Amino acid sequence: MPISNPLLMLQELPAFSKLEIADIEPAIDYKLAASRQQISTLLEQVANEPTWSNFVEPLETMADELEQLWSPISHLNGVMNSEALRTAYNNCLPKLSEYATELGQNRELYNAFYQIAQDQQFQRLSQAQRKVIDNKLRDFHLCGIDLEEAPKKRFAQISKRLAELGSQFSDHVLDATQAWSKQILDKQELAGLPEMALDSAAQAAKSRDLQGYLITLDIPSYLPVMMYCENDTLREELYVAYVTRASDQGPNAEQWDNSSLMQEILALRHESAILLGFNNYAEYSLATKMAGSTQQVIDFLEDLAHKSLPVAEADFAELEAFARGEGDKASIAAWDVAYYSEKLRQNKYAVSQEELRPYFPVARVIQGLFEVVKKLYGIEFQQQQTVDTWHCDVQFFHLLKDGQLIAKFYLDLYARENKRGGAWMADCRCRRRRADGALQLPVAFLTCNFTVPTEALPSLLTHNEVTTLFHEFGHGLHHMLTGIEVLSVSGINGVEWDAVELPSQFLENWCWEKQALALISGHYESDQALPAELLDKLIAAKNFQSGMQMVRQLEFALFDMRMHKEYQVDNPQDIQDLLQEIRNQVAVYKTPALNRFQHSFNHVFAGGYAAGYYSYKWAEVLSADAFSLFEENGVFDITTGQRFLVEILQKGGSEEAMQLFVNYRGREPRVDALLRHSGIVS
Ligand code: ZN
């Protein structure tokens, strides 16, 4: 009896503790069948006179209900992965993709939207509603509505297959990451590793009933070894394991090899783009983005490379000279870069990421983050204790404005087994006005992978991790502070992909401001704020190696864009060769031949960043330029905060990102602020 399936009951928040994996597939099957039925009934009813309220509104409700069913499942697949859940999840993906394509290729639906767009009523709709209809019409074309029967079917097949392939790709990365670990019995082998990382490694060993220390490929374990371990043999071994994950190289070579998946993904993306009349997948990707053309993107990236390369080369020359001075290193290997960089940073600025940790206990940082947001936008936060979650570490908060509840979010802070690495924000519920007149409030999932607290220590963050938290919270605010009441353009929905990183990168700026750091920091023992002397050093060190960081991001972005733009059916370029060509152009040090970075490049092969990785840099121009108004008016200037809230955050996807930016800044974006902030120009 699918109707008794608890997953199908609409609730204010998902009942995580009652979620049974066995219910997932039947629930999705039932929901999709019911939705198909509803759509055909709807089309009959509105036959000649579709309007927003009799047609678009019910479709939005259906989309919302499906989203409410799927988002907790998709979220759990990321944070509480298990064999059974993964199977259920992967079984549902092609069904969902099939349904989405079916809707996107439904001629009657298209005609109804078209009719509304042509009708007089269109001009009476709100800006947000008009944007929904414009987007829908565009998306019908991008889903193959204009195609003949055979290519239309082929397009649908490809979409379905691509959804499966992306999921397999990231499963391989997760499996390969978890498959490798190294037990170390002799503490001497870990000389240089900070106390906190040692504690975590000991705890990791203990949790698997092992003696000594356990090093894994999770970032909180991997990074400290690469930055601090004097033992370069260990660093090399770890580096090799990490950069060969899910590939034909390294300790687990060919076991979760993504090579053939990548070929198939590229070929199918290209084929689908050609079917729609584009020259390549990169063009298809840009059809929904802010950037005008693939050439404009490449020019943008190459121009940044041109400006940054001399700075990056100087960074690396300095590093090499330093390493030579430190000992017997004639040249620096890839696994030495982080190690000597950290030493050089300490040497130059007398400040290390580890030294800062005690000042950033996670609870304090979060309180500080809340205070920053309160100063900027007048939002207050309240923690709630009795909410049903998926793990005892998860916290839950309410957001209030003028005493009124406006949004909620889950916060899942710590790294653990079966949780995907990295940090991200996802939506659980979107803000929208329901047909019954009630306002549905937005709910967000915020996920990080910070060091687990131990018996002796709370979770202490590096400044990098603080910045990550602010970044994801910036996405969260975009989702939660939206003022839009129409689902498809509410919060992050409908925002051009290359503008999505604007609110997130924007919020990072406060991690570097003295007034804000006073709020964010407090020594975990003494509660003393970050001392002025350390603060000055931290800020002085901000642009340490920023040239090197810039060209690294440009390498990824150019690789992604050119891989999709230059794909040729008869002569598929070797992915490794292309990456090498780009490295020759923009990298400042040599990458070992066995490096298979691309095999774990989830963003591009399994996420939404295909032919879109440049978005980070593109949006950084926007975010740096947006922040420069605060530099002019004061970092806690209420009027400027209000302006950003009203013109950008609240507007969601209801207008084009360029228009919103111009409304906020009074002009189009300029690259100057980014170059200045990252120390490329002074
Ligand atoms: Zn982001």
Side-chain angles (χ1 to χ4, degrees), residues 423-425 471-472 475 500-501 504-505 508 603 609 616:
W424 67 91
M425 191 289 294
H471 177 104
E472 295 312 329
H475 284 307
V500 159
E501 298 296 330
S504 53
Q505 297 183 143
E508 287 180 31
H603 276 83
Y609 283 86
Y616 282 103

Side-chain angles (χ1 to χ4, degrees), residues 403-424:
Q404 196 137 38
L405 180 64
I406 57 167
K408 312 165 190 181
F409 73 98
Y410 298 87
L411 182 63
D412 184 355
L413 288 170
Y414 307 120
R416 63 174 171 264
E417 246 184 293
N418 299 315
K419 179 172 169 183
R420 271 182 217 287
W424 67 91

Side-chain angles (χ1 to χ4, degrees), residues 324-378:
R324 267 197 299 274
E326 280 287 291
D328 49 2
K329 284 273 169 192
S331 65
I332 298 184
W335 48 88
D336 297 326
V337 173
Y339 177 75
Y340 284 107
S341 292
E342 184 58 21
K343 267 200 166 13
L344 174 60
R345 183 210 303 271
Q346 290 183 36
N347 191 280
K348 269 182 96 165
Y349 303 102
V351 62
S352 78
Q353 287 282 337
E354 286 305 313
E355 198 181 345
L356 296 169
R357 273 192 201 268
Y359 292 96
F360 295 118
V362 74
R364 175 63 195 229
V365 174
I366 287 165
Q367 274 317 311
L369 166 65
F370 290 171
E371 280 178 58
V372 167
V373 174
K374 184 178 173 188
K375 279 174 177 287
L376 288 173
Y377 310 126

Side-chain angles (χ1 to χ4, degrees), residues 250-275:
N252 290 320
E254 291 177 13
Q255 218 172 327
W256 293 279
D257 188 359
N258 274 331
S259 302
S260 61
L261 296 185
M262 291 153 73
Q263 290 300 346
E264 194 180 347
I265 288 170
L266 288 182
L268 291 178
R269 282 180 183 162
H270 185 77
E271 190 186 342
S272 65
I274 297 290
L275 282 173

